[in-house]
Amino acid sequence: MADRLREAVSTYRDRADYLEIRLEQSESTAISFRGDRLDAANRNFSLAGGVRACHKGGWSFVTFNGLDELHDRLEEAISQAKLVGTETTQLAEIEAIEDFVPLELGRDPRGISLAEKRDLVERYNQLLLAYDPRIQTTSSSYRDRFGVTYFVNSAGTCIAQERLDISGGFGAIARGEGGLVRQGYESVHSRSDYNAFVDLEDRVRSAAERAIRQLEAKSVKGGQYTVVLDPYLAGVFIHEAFGHLSEADFVYENPRMQELLQLGKAVAIEQLNVVDDATLNGLPGSLKYDDEGVRAQRKYLIKNGVLTQRLHNRETAGKMNEAPTGNARALSASYPPLVRMTNTAIEPGDRSFAETIADIDEGVYAVRMIGGQTNGEMFTFAAAEGYMIRDGQIAEPVSDVTLTGNVFQTLTDIEAIGNDSVYTNGGCGKGGQSPLPVSVGGPHVRIKDVVVGGR
Ligand SMILES: [Zn+2]
């Protein structure tokens, strides 16, 4: 396969500044229940790919579904790129790579029948439905996807990478008095092993448990509080509120952000370190090469409170004269790569959880996230759960905990960084490519003067 793609690229190489083919052969399973009804249970095999060309700075992207179309699509991509290219092509230099990246496999989901997987999802789903009469509906899903992606470009790179993603999601919706609705959610992800989806009874039930607990909790009283984020929410915060701003395609197009995000500028308290690390083993955002054939890396976005690096594809690195970082990622070979995060995290600090909350007279402990939005520097997150902190102790549960603020203000209002750290799987959306597997990580993080909205 690689040889056929290489031959095709070399045939057309002289006709554009840059040319690449990505092709993915995949097999996947998807099962989902909604309430007590089976929504879907299917297996799918596909071969699909895309050709990307760049000429005089103009890009094109064309998809294909069979190798017989390949030459026509190459022609098409080259002529489209020539139509839009009016400047110069600026791609950061990288070395040509030839490599095969095999899967590290535990229990292979491809050897397990659709019926066995469906029965397990159904059993989990029944646990949610049976948890409490106030559970009104559920959504339970399982998905696995194995793919091998070939990447060949006109600069001599030829890489084949195998990848497996196994994921499960469990949601419960509870309805209480006066039509009040609360939800709870739990998810799992593995890059190698079906067994990560087995024996999840307690974790599945915890989704229903959280929905019911929120139903019974009183709404938080709105105001400014010292807030402690749990590791999940701290990770989501750093991904959503800060990580997306570090994506160089966004910075490049935005003069205000270029000013705010000058490398070398202090943007946070000195103890804060933020990484985007694709080299960690077995997490959703882990990879050896990105979708432009650039070797993946561990990068410090913030080091000792100072902005040190941002996330690049080859073009943004070339145009901004910075080093490429291996952050060009596509949802599949049928999409063009965009600048994306991988595993993004706040590095742990030195405080225990007890120390972190010990001197808070009245504060809010915000746990997980169920929704949120960002707009430039501003963010709003809805915590999935909340608890009051009173006299240095976790007190009663509260609901409707939404946190609003300016990301740069918040980064300097951090008061303590926990010595714990957890990576949680997530799905990132950008440019219509969602959910891209990523993870978010962090310790407990304490922030002063956060605006907490209640009901
Ligand atoms: Zn995202």
Side-chain angles (χ1 to χ4, degrees), residues 239-240 244 341 428-429:
H239 171 108
E240 295 291 351
H244 280 291
M341 282 173 265
C428 177

Coordinates of all heavy atoms in Angstrom, one line a residue, residues 239-240 244 341 428-429, ligand 1:
H239 N -7.5 23.1 29.0 CA -7.7 22.8 27.6 C -8.6 23.9 26.9 O -8.2 24.4 25.9 CB -8.4 21.4 27.4 CG -8.8 21.1 26.1 ND1 -8.2 20.1 25.2 CD2 -9.9 21.5 25.3 CE1 -8.8 20.1 24.1 NE2 -9.8 20.9 24.1
E240 N -9.8 24.1 27.5 CA -10.7 24.9 26.8 C -10.4 26.4 26.9 O -10.5 27.1 25.9 CB -12.1 24.8 27.4 CG -12.7 23.4 27.2 CD -13.1 23.1 25.8 OE1 -13.1 24.0 25.0 OE2 -13.4 21.9 25.5
H244 N -6.8 26.2 23.6 CA -7.3 26.6 22.3 C -6.6 27.9 21.9 O -6.4 28.2 20.7 CB -8.8 26.7 22.2 CG -9.4 25.3 22.0 ND1 -9.3 24.6 20.9 CD2 -10.2 24.6 22.9 CE1 -9.9 23.5 21.0 NE2 -10.5 23.4 22.2
M341 N -4.7 20.1 20.0 CA -4.0 19.6 21.2 C -3.9 18.1 21.2 O -4.5 17.4 20.4 CB -4.8 20.1 22.4 CG -4.6 21.6 22.8 SD -5.7 22.1 24.1 CE -7.0 22.8 23.2
C428 N -12.4 16.6 21.6 CA -12.3 18.0 21.3 C -13.0 18.3 19.9 O -12.9 17.5 19.0 CB -10.8 18.4 21.2 SG -10.5 20.1 20.8
G429 N -13.6 19.5 19.8 CA -14.2 19.9 18.6 C -13.6 21.1 18.1 O -13.3 22.1 18.8
Ligands
ZN1 ZN -11.1 21.5 22.6

